Amino acid sequence: MTELSAAHDAAVTDRARLAGSAYNSDRDLAARQSLYQWQTPRYDLPGLVAEQLSGVHGRVVDVGCGNGKFIQRLRQDRPDLALLGLDIARGILAGVPGPVAVAEATRLPLVTEGVDAALALHMLYHVPDIPRTVRELSRVVARDGLVIASSNSDRDKAALDDLWQRAAGDVLGTGRGPARISLSARFSLEKAPAFLGEEFGRVETIELPGTITVHDPEPVIAYMASYRAWADQHDVPFDATIERARTILVDHLARHRAFEVTCLGGILVCRR
């Protein structure tokens, strides 16, 4: 591991940064979530998760539940389930329908085999010890239960990486600037099956490819700006790079009328 990637890993998993800045409210997470309304095809991710839980009855824990989008949907679609939301960031739990609790994924406050399913959606790249957290998820889920995880591909949103490097290079006067930090790199869609396969005999990956097409710069700029909690990891003046990206994007839209971002995320359904 290079010194730079080690620093990025430390920043992505830093508990004080996550709880106190990145997820102290849902502002930045909501900006990232909202970009997908311009994606084709549109995926109803909470609906897909609810569908996977169709055979589950009893207790479900959402580990790293964030602003509660999945809990809200399950409360609507599956009122029969006993739901619990856990997150390390107290601030982001404010709007989540309870019960919720502040908890660390590497030490879940749940009895062994105490839930029938566990969700770990777009969060395992934030835990400091991924294998230990997978063991915890396995510990708390009943023998015939399931775990549903999710992440993005290593190839996800390459157009935004390119836009960032162009803008950073312009700000620094170096041609192409340094890459922006990748949150999902530690537990990407490609790496996830190996981690999950240590505890689960069957890991099914459901890929969700798509293309985001915008005709206005603001959704993309809001998405890029939502990484402000990691501004110190980008080796470039963050606000100046965001503004340069906006200028590049405005020019691109004036010439081409649309800006396209190829996406690849997915969910992983794990059973013993």
Side-chain angles (χ1 to χ4, degrees), residues 251-262:
D251 180 61
H252 178 95
L253 290 168
R255 288 184 289 116
H256 302 285
R257 302 183 65 182
F259 179 72
E260 291 190 348
V261 180
T262 301

Side-chain angles (χ1 to χ4, degrees), residues 47 58 128 150 191 224 240:
S150 67
K191 296 186 178 87
M224 295 176 81

Side-chain angles (χ1 to χ4, degrees), residues 79-120:
D80 58 301
L81 293 174
L83 299 169
L84 171 64
L86 302 176
D87 204 281
I88 62 164
R90 184 179 302 276
I92 207 167
L93 291 172
V96 181
V100 297
V102 175
E104 174 57 66
T106 53
R107 297 185 305 277
L108 293 171
L110 301 167
V111 299
T112 298
E113 298 189 22
V115 298
D116 300 284
L119 310 180

